[in-house]
Amino acid sequence: MARIAVIGAGTGAMAAAARLAVAGHRVTVYERSRTYGGSLGRYAHEGFVFDTGPSLLHLPAVYRDLFVKTGKESLEQRVTLTQVDPASRHHFADGTAVSLPNASRAGVVGALDGALGKGSGVRWGEFLDRAGTAWDRSRRPLLEEPLRDDRQVLGRDPYPALRRRRLLTVREAGTVAEIGAWELADPRLAALLDGYALSYGLDPRRAPAAAALLPYMEETFGSWYVTGGMRALAEAVYERCLARRVTFVFGAEVVRVAEKDGRAAGVELADGESVEADHVVLGAQPWPGLLSGEGRRPGAEAGEARGAVQGPVPGRFLVLLSLRGAREAGAVHRSVVHREDGAAEQDAVFGGRTAERPTVTVLRPDDPATRPDEAHEAVTLMATVAPHGPVDWTDAALRERYADVLIDRARVAVPGLRERILHVEVRTPAETAADTGAEGGSVPAPALAGARGAYLHSGNRTGLPGLYLAGGWSHPGGGLAHAGMSGALVAGLVVEGDGFRGSQ
């Protein structure tokens, strides 16, 4: 039985903790805040309840596997999962709109043909076929295996871009934006694809074509809602950890990983306490001074490489609206209001400024647990924005003005929105930074193949023996499913050693 110290109580860290405890290890989680869940936060006000982090679950198989491997109760015995159908409704700048069914390729093709014109759906379907090829080529090394020391296989873009001859040159898409311009050939389809990338914090003009995996995963495996909000998933994982006798210490800020004889030997807390451990799992963003030596931290090179490619890592601006009046018939769970000039928005977000007319995601769960009664509704508006630092998200006037911008943009998706507002709560990257410790309130994006490895994250195994990385800031990157995968990879490396090659 080994003593294992886990830093942070996010979903990736807790997924690792539960698996390690089942393997017979003594696991203690040290969390700087007063609760668990990391980005899976919750805000409640007078009977209205809102998620303050991810709102939908993709690839639920990751958490089904966690519950199968750590106990008798399945995931569905702990939480209620519902497929969101339609998966999303999209409002484009020219006034057209389309609702996309959940996990139905034929349904999506038909909906796009009907709303955007004949041939639109076919082009999108053919694009998803190519994205599926990229998925088959990269799925295992990108998502199911520890990151290899030789990353060449993931440095090449797996997306089979169409080759088009133009006079003496051959042109093929190398970025998300180029796929939209050259292969989809419709500004609305291009906006649809760009919206997927932007929602994950990726600049479509720079993100490799391999980012096509993101819409492929959503449209192939579906979008799922957890009744009661996504915080209920964090509660279920936390309770599974407790059932496996994982110990949690809240309000315990780790300031340093202790080293002895060239390996991790425990953690040092802000109150001066030192805790010995045989292995340490870092489930938070690494920070300067984490390891001995000024500024030394695991994964710094990978983070700096990503920053050089895409600029500041964005965060999320949320407007939580308590509304009078019932949710109307025909309302959808998720709507996206696209803007007419995506490049201007991308310039702002990745240039450290505020976009004047951002793409807005509108979330309207049909869940009685989120509202005081059937005569009211809880609605969340979300936009991808520059992190705190380049933009001062503590500026009260800016917060109020930007919330009003999102409300104005969302009116097309919520009839009579302004007149229904009872209460407004704003959450910005400044709050994210305070709650999670992430620098600037940035939200990590999923890892991507291509671009010579610039969009990969730090490996789960570090250069310091005994120190491992889990969660969104490590391989295979951000997002609930990816965080859960990182926990499984870390547990495998600790239990089986460096020879571990992932699930079979």
Side-chain angles (χ1 to χ4, degrees):
M1 176 188 293
R3 299 164 300 176
I4 299 176
V6 177
I7 305 171
T11 50
M14 290 196 295
R19 290 176 183 270
L20 288 167
V22 166
H25 298 299
R26 192 170 70 205
V27 183
T28 303
V29 177
Y30 298 91
E31 167 57 45
R32 64 191 287 274
S33 73
R34 296 294 175 181
T35 189
Y36 53 84
S39 65
L40 288 179
R42 173 181 286 165
Y43 172 77
H45 175 77
E46 296 183 351
F48 294 91
V49 178
F50 305 84
D51 285 321
T52 59
S55 58
L56 293 172
L57 178 63
H58 306 293
L59 290 177
V62 172
Y63 288 91
R64 291 189 179 115
D65 182 69
L66 171 65
F67 277 77
V68 166
K69 298 292 176 57
T70 59
K72 294 181 179 179
E73 284 187 305
S74 68
L75 175 64
E76 275 80 357
Q77 288 176 293
R78 300 297 302 138
V79 300
T80 300
L81 291 177
T82 305
Q83 281 193 301
V84 177
D85 201 8
S88 55
R89 177 177 291 165
H90 296 266
H91 299 266
F92 299 105
D94 67 351
T96 57
V98 60
S99 293
L100 302 182
N102 196 8
S104 170
R105 178 72 60 84
V108 168
V109 169
L112 289 172
D113 272 346
L116 308 186
K118 190 170 179 60
S120 300
V122 171
R123 287 197 300 279
W124 185 260
E126 291 173 345
F127 154 70
L128 288 180
D129 287 340
R130 294 189 291 276
T133 298
W135 167 263
D136 292 337
R137 289 175 175 175
S138 61
R139 173 182 58 84
R140 185 163 179 79
L142 185 66
L143 300 176
E144 298 177 356
E145 297 179 345
L147 196 60
R148 303 176 186 178
D149 293 332
D150 176 10
R151 304 184 182 187
Q152 184 177 3
V153 66
L154 291 175
R156 296 188 295 269
D157 198 316
Y159 179 78
L162 295 178
R163 297 174 65 86
R164 300 183 183 277
R165 291 197 173 274
R166 291 291 185 273
L167 297 177
L168 300 178
T169 63
V170 176
R171 185 177 70 179
E172 61 181 60
T175 67
V176 169
E178 289 173 347
I179 291 175
W182 301 348
E183 296 184 4
L184 298 177
D186 183 313
R188 296 164 298 184
L189 292 179
L192 178 61
L193 178 57
D194 284 358
Y196 277 106
L198 190 62
S199 70
Y200 284 96
L202 296 165
D203 186 343
R205 301 166 303 177
R206 297 182 176 89
L213 268 65
L214 303 176
Y216 174 83
M217 286 191 295
E218 288 198 23
E219 295 194 16
T220 301
F221 303 109
S223 298
W224 301 76
Y225 175 70
V226 179
T227 299
M230 296 302 296
R231 177 70 180 178
L233 177 64
E235 292 172 354
V237 177
Y238 172 67
E239 289 169 358
R240 177 54 54 91
C241 286
L242 294 180
R244 300 285 77 83
R245 299 185 179 180
V246 174
T247 299
F248 285 80
V249 184
F250 295 107
E253 181 180 1
V254 173
V255 295
R256 190 170 295 106
V257 172
E259 302 177 47
K260 183 178 180 180
D261 299 329
R263 62 173 291 114
V267 297
E268 299 175 15
L269 305 182
D271 63 5
E273 181 182 359
S274 295
V275 181
E276 294 183 353
D278 301 297
H279 304 280
V280 177
V281 177
L282 175 61
Q285 185 182 25
W287 61 89
L290 173 67
L291 303 178
S292 298
E294 183 64 30
R296 183 179 166 208
R297 65 191 190 278
E301 296 82 1
E304 289 160 2
R306 288 195 304 279
V309 170
Q310 73 167 32
V313 179
R316 306 288 184 266
F317 188 100
L318 301 179
V319 183
L320 313 178
L321 298 175
S322 303
L323 303 183
R324 64 170 62 88
R327 186 177 187 269
E328 77 277 6
V332 301
H333 185 111
R334 176 175 58 169
S335 297
V336 182
V337 182
H338 298 272
R339 62 167 292 156
E340 64 280 2
D341 182 7
E345 179 178 16
Q346 294 149 26
D347 280 340
V349 171
F350 298 97
R353 306 187 308 278
T354 57
E356 291 307 310
R357 291 178 56 81
T359 298
V360 177
T361 297
V362 182
L363 301 165
R364 307 178 67 188
D366 188 11
D367 182 356
T370 65
R371 55 191 182 241
D373 53 50
E374 293 302 312
H376 295 85
E377 183 182 8
V379 172
T380 299
L381 313 182
M382 189 277 287
T384 299
V385 296
H388 181 53
V391 174
D392 180 7
W393 288 116
T394 64
D395 184 317
L398 173 61
R399 292 161 65 95
E400 182 177 355
R401 180 185 68 79
Y402 212 64
D404 194 64
V405 168
L406 266 64
I407 292 169
D408 186 65
R409 299 273 292 146
R411 289 185 302 165
V412 67
V414 186
L417 176 58
R418 284 196 182 277
E419 295 74 21
R420 297 176 57 194
I421 295 174
L422 294 171
H423 179 77
V424 178
E425 180 71 18
V426 174
R427 292 184 62 87
T428 76
E431 282 76 30
T432 303
D435 291 347
T436 69
E439 184 178 356
S442 295
V443 178
L448 298 174
R452 299 182 178 179
Y455 286 80
L456 299 175
H457 290 253
S458 304
N460 308 108
R461 181 178 52 240
T462 72
L464 179 66
L467 176 63
Y468 302 87
L469 305 182
W473 295 101
S474 63
H475 179 72
L480 276 177
H482 293 72
M485 293 174 195
S486 77
L489 293 174
V490 165
L493 287 167
V494 172
V495 172
E496 299 186 24
D498 289 347
F500 175 67
R501 291 293 177 265
S503 58
Q504 302 298 320

